[in-house]
Amino acid sequence: MRRVTIRIPDDLLRAYDMADVNRSQLMRRVLLDAVADGRVDGVPTDIQKLAERERVVDCGRYARKR
């Protein structure tokens, strides 16, 4: 996978750090949800469908861990 860097406000970063989960996993999940829901402009439909599929796979993965 490719590594990316994003800039986010300090208060949002503190909120991510306070969550009881790996920050990278949390940000990845938030970005996947945004792309799958169409909240990010300019994303091709094939990438949106891939994000939807990844979200479904991730949800199933979390359910199996419980």
Side-chain angles (χ1 to χ4, degrees):
M1 284 190 158
R2 192 173 192 184
R3 183 180 202 147
V4 277
T5 302
I6 60 171
R7 293 176 191 262
I8 57 174
D10 290 336
D11 56 339
L12 186 58
L13 184 60
R14 280 192 299 276
Y16 277 126
D17 288 339
M18 291 175 70
D20 190 27
V21 70
N22 182 305
R23 186 181 356 170
S24 295
Q25 290 174 345
L26 181 61
M27 288 184 185
R28 180 177 176 270
R29 194 167 76 200
V30 168
L31 287 171
L32 269 176
D33 287 345
V35 170
D37 293 340
R39 290 181 276 154
V40 179
D41 294 333
V43 177
T45 56
D46 59 329
I47 301 296
Q48 284 182 341
K49 291 195 182 296
L50 182 62
E52 290 171 9
R53 181 185 170 285
E54 284 289 319
R55 182 170 56 178
V56 169
V57 169
D58 282 348
C59 289
R61 198 173 294 147
Y62 289 126
R64 285 192 303 267
K65 286 184 177 180
R66 290 182 189 171

